[in-house]
Amino acid sequence: MDIFDLLKLIGGLSLFLYGMNVMGNGLSKMAGGRLESILEKLTTKKISAVLLGAGVTSVIQSSSATTVMVVGFVNSGIMKLSQAVGIIMGANIGTTITSWLLSLTGIEGNTIWLSLLKPSSFSPVLAAIGIILIMVSKSESKKKDVGNILLGFAVLMFGMETMSAAVAGLADVPSFTGLMTAFRNPVLGMVVGAVLTAVIQSSSASVGILQALCVTGAVNYSVALPIIMGQNIGTCVTSIISSVGASKNAKRAAMVHLYFNLIGTVIFMLVFYIVNSFADFGFMNEPAGAFGIALIHSLFNIGATIILFPFSDKLVRLAKITIRDGKKTEVIEDRISIDERFLERPAFAMELCRSKAREMAELIRKSLDLALQVLLDYDRKKADEVIKMESVADSYEDVLGSYLVKLSSKNISTSDSRSMSIILHSISDLERISDHAMDIVKSAEEINAKGLSFTPNAKHEIEVLCKAVTDICNLTVDSFCNGDDEKATHVEPLEEVIDTLSKKIKENHIRRLKEGKCTIEMGFILEDVLNGLERVSDHCSNVAVEMITIFDNDYNTHEYFKNFSSEERASFNREYEELIKKYPITG
């Protein structure tokens, strides 16, 4: 093996790793966050979690990516530690698919059917199709994702074949043969496999490198087997690194991954070598092939899962013993946090942001509803709850705003970009509604503390206005949560109605004040309440208009009403007239 073979090896390895990365990213984007959403939700049964972990990993071609996602789920409180165990076990099974694909390079024979199965035969075709799809497709389209998958697979296979060709000459190098002989030591072989996998952070890639070395004929099964075992331990490094700085349960999820592979490896090695000492397996001295390595990789991971599955709770307990709570109870992770690990999965990260934005909107709905209840019938507990909700709403705005800014630099689809714009434009308005809800509660507290009260007529008018404000909030939240821009068009007419109602109530109050039926002090409080309710409807209108303009790709909210056609204006006026009858206030 000369310097040119070494350069060819480095080039082949680079193409191999790059192809694996491109293919994995393409598969993830093709899934569009759906796999992660399923992973998040369907983990109630342990056996389902195992199958799910295997399925997701088979698709995205990376057990490391799956376990990192699991660590992120646990860290965010989305998933319990007990649910994570099954997915981690399944991920180890799913990752063996890659080794089976790579084993195609070891196919031998000259028949037409065997030749068609060889990567050297079909990879160029896949590469050609892939590059055509990439070149003719629009940015961020499904066709482009398919093209990346095909091209990534072709580059992966080409890199594999290049590596195999580069190392073929090592069979005649005595030092290489001697090195392979040294790796027959089970402990040394495991260390080498673990270190290699830890460095490149992919068990699939390290298994592929081992399969490429098989063409030399110097890699016997006695060498390959302990290296494969070590590779399963080395792959845990990625999840352990991912858990740094995370919650204790997230660290425990990473430890479950480590313990599963470590215990499985120890059991497998002890049983295998004890039996081998008596039975003397003859195949151990035979040259390993790509197919045989894939088979060992699969048998180990499936066997380890079968053996350790009944003891999944014990793995959790072991992880908890390793990562203790300590004397001081750990602060519970805020339920509104979004783990930054998901930024590498933009489609799913956007789905999480949508989910959190919906939670925020529902919180605002509840906050306003309680505030209006407190205004009409004072209740200390409800008042305190509204004040607490206002603080939580602030946290939602901060977390979502900062996270979406980071996510905006990622490669996201057009629909996700639209959703991002709507959320970014809306969260400040939603947060301001919670501020006004708290202000309304403060007005109610002042009324209660001073022993004041509304006159019967004033109370009736406030009740009508509160009903209208409740309706506009419900309409806004429903349209926002469901992404219903058509429903959002009905918000603005109701906002105009609320402005009219507020004006009538102010006029009626002035008349009652002149007649001596109301006090100036109560008038000041009423003014604050009316201003707060008007502001709530204004912010609801802002959210609705942002939705409409962004869905229409207009992005100019200031021009929205100016651009009404005569027909749209007539429809708007008709709806306004119908609504004003729904909320009758005499005056």
Side-chain angles (χ1 to χ4, degrees):
M1 184 178 185
D2 55 22
I3 185 64
F4 297 106
D5 288 327
L6 179 61
L7 291 174
K8 188 185 293 184
L9 173 62
I10 294 172
L13 178 60
S14 301
L15 289 172
F16 175 77
L17 295 175
Y18 177 72
M20 181 168 286
N21 183 60
V22 171
M23 184 175 68
N25 288 340
L27 288 164
S28 296
K29 288 183 69 177
M30 190 75 177
R34 291 187 296 273
L35 290 175
E36 293 91 336
S37 298
I38 295 171
L39 195 65
E40 171 197 348
K41 296 171 184 175
L42 303 182
T43 53
T44 51
K45 294 182 180 180
K46 290 180 182 178
I47 188 64
S48 299
V50 173
L51 296 175
L52 198 58
V56 169
T57 307
S58 297
V59 172
I60 64 176
Q61 292 287 295
S62 174
S63 61
S64 297
T66 303
T67 52
V68 167
M69 280 193 290
V70 168
V71 169
F73 285 136
V74 175
N75 188 48
S76 298
I78 297 172
M79 184 183 292
K80 294 179 181 178
L81 185 59
S82 57
Q83 295 174 308
V85 182
I87 295 176
I88 290 170
M89 290 180 175
N92 278 33
I93 296 175
T95 195
T96 62
I97 297 297
T98 308
S99 61
W100 284 108
L101 290 173
L102 295 175
S103 70
L104 295 174
T105 57
I107 293 177
E108 297 179 356
N110 295 319
T111 65
I112 183 67
W113 299 111
L114 286 175
S115 296
L116 288 174
L117 288 175
K118 292 180 180 179
S120 57
S121 301
F122 63 79
S123 289
V125 178
L126 296 182
I129 296 172
I131 198 65
I132 290 171
L133 289 174
I134 291 171
M135 292 178 69
V136 302
S137 301
K138 295 179 180 179
S139 60
E140 305 313 312
S141 66
K142 292 292 183 183
K143 288 182 179 178
K144 190 169 185 178
D145 291 336
V146 173
N148 280 321
I149 293 168
L150 295 177
L151 187 60
F153 181 77
V155 172
L156 168 74
M157 286 300 184
F158 181 76
M160 182 74 174
E161 291 182 339
T162 302
M163 280 195 298
S164 299
V167 300
L170 289 174
D172 302 322
V173 179
S175 57
F176 176 75
T177 308
L179 183 63
M180 288 296 104
T181 303
F183 291 159
R184 293 188 182 193
N185 182 301
V187 176
L188 182 59
M190 286 174 58
V191 170
V192 169
V195 171
L196 175 64
T197 308
V199 170
I200 61 178
Q201 294 196 24
S202 172
S203 61
S204 297
S206 61
V207 168
I209 293 170
L210 182 62
Q211 287 174 309
L213 287 173
C214 288
V215 299
T216 63
V219 182
N220 293 339
Y221 283 106
S222 58
V223 173
L225 191 140
I227 291 177
I228 293 171
M229 297 301 104
Q231 288 167 339
N232 284 282
I233 296 173
T235 193
C236 301
V237 169
T238 307
S239 58
I240 291 173
I241 293 173
S242 174
S243 69
V244 174
S247 67
K248 289 190 182 297
N249 269 342
K251 290 184 175 70
R252 288 166 182 160
M255 292 307 298
V256 166
H257 188 211
L258 175 62
Y259 285 136
F260 171 74
N261 284 302
L262 192 60
I263 294 171
T265 299
V266 170
I267 293 173
F268 185 91
M269 294 290 278
L270 285 175
V271 172
F272 182 85
Y273 282 100
I274 288 173
V275 174
N276 184 48
S277 64
F278 294 103
D280 190 19
F281 296 130
F283 71 89
M284 291 290 281
N285 293 318
E286 294 179 5
F291 177 84
I293 288 175
L295 182 61
I296 293 172
H297 194 213
S298 296
L299 288 176
F300 166 74
N301 284 291
I302 294 171
T305 301
I306 293 172
I307 293 170
L308 294 177
F309 181 77
F311 304 100
S312 56
D313 292 337
K314 300 293 188 295
L315 288 174
V316 172
R317 188 177 302 175
L318 183 59
K320 287 182 177 179
I321 291 172
T322 307
I323 309 294
R324 296 180 179 275
D325 286 326
K327 294 181 180 179
K328 293 183 179 180
T329 305
E330 184 187 24
V331 177
I332 298 174
E333 294 295 307
D334 195 338
R335 67 186 178 89
I336 66 172
S337 64
I338 310 175
D339 201 299
E340 293 197 7
R341 291 165 184 79
F342 298 126
L343 287 172
E344 298 308 314
R345 303 280 169 184
F348 182 63
M350 194 60 236
E351 182 59 37
L352 280 179
C353 289
R354 277 191 286 264
S355 176
K356 295 301 177 185
R358 287 192 289 267
E359 287 179 13
M360 181 184 184
E362 293 294 348
L363 178 82
I364 300 307
R365 189 208 304 258
K366 184 177 180 181
S367 174
L368 181 64
D369 182 57
L370 285 174
L372 298 181
Q373 290 179 36
V374 171
L375 177 65
L376 299 173
D377 185 14
Y378 186 76
D379 185 310
R380 178 75 256 174
K381 288 184 178 179
K382 290 180 180 179
D384 289 341
E385 193 170 350
V386 172
I387 294 171
K388 289 179 182 177
M389 286 181 178
E390 193 278 332
S391 177
V392 176
D394 287 344
S395 297
Y396 267 110
E397 183 186 20
D398 292 341
V399 169
L400 277 168
S402 59
Y403 196 88
L404 285 169
V405 168
K406 294 176 183 176
L407 186 58
S408 64
S409 64
K410 304 295 181 180
N411 204 353
I412 59 175
S413 65
T414 303
S415 61
D416 282 345
S417 179
R418 185 185 294 119
S419 293
M420 181 183 292
S421 296
I422 290 172
I423 295 172
L424 279 171
H425 282 90
S426 300
I427 53 177
S428 59
D429 284 298
L430 292 172
E431 191 278 328
R432 288 295 293 147
I433 292 174
S434 73
D435 289 342
H436 293 304
M438 187 173 69
D439 291 340
I440 291 169
V441 164
K442 288 180 179 178
S443 295
E445 288 176 337
E446 186 178 355
I447 293 172
N448 181 68
K450 294 181 177 180
L452 302 174
S453 63
F454 292 113
T455 63
N457 285 340
K459 185 170 184 180
H460 169 71
E461 291 168 356
I462 290 295
E463 286 174 346
V464 173
L465 182 58
C466 285
K467 175 66 170 65
V469 171
T470 298
D471 288 346
I472 197 173
C473 181
N474 287 337
L475 188 60
T476 303
V477 171
D478 287 343
S479 59
F480 178 78
C481 291
N482 298 322
D484 190 340
D485 59 314
E486 194 283 325
K487 180 177 282 190
T489 60
H490 300 291
V491 171
E492 187 59 28
L494 184 50
E495 192 274 334
E496 295 249 353
V497 168
I498 289 170
D499 286 346
T500 301
L501 295 178
S502 179
K503 184 178 179 181
K504 284 185 179 180
I505 293 173
K506 289 177 183 178
E507 292 172 350
N508 289 346
H509 167 70
I510 293 172
R511 189 185 69 251
R512 286 190 294 268
L513 190 62
K514 290 178 179 179
E515 294 172 355
K517 296 179 181 179
C518 190
T519 65
I520 293 178
E521 187 174 21
M522 194 63 193
F524 289 141
I525 297 174
L526 179 63
E527 181 74 18
D528 290 339
V529 170
L530 293 178
N531 286 339
L533 293 175
E534 280 188 79
R535 295 292 180 273
V536 167
S537 68
D538 289 340
H539 289 298
C540 287
S541 173
N542 290 344
V543 173
V545 172
E546 290 291 353
M547 286 185 61
I548 295 166
T549 54
I550 291 174
F551 268 108
D552 291 343
N553 294 316
D554 189 353
Y555 296 97
N556 193 342
T557 57
H558 297 292
E559 298 295 321
Y560 172 66
F561 298 109
K562 294 180 182 179
N563 295 331
F564 267 8
S565 65
S566 57
E567 185 179 342
E568 288 173 328
R569 177 58 64 182
S571 175
F572 182 95
N573 291 336
R574 283 195 301 271
E575 187 169 359
Y576 170 83
E577 293 300 331
E578 290 174 4
L579 287 169
I580 201 72
K581 296 175 185 177
K582 185 179 177 181
Y583 307 99
I585 289 180
T586 58

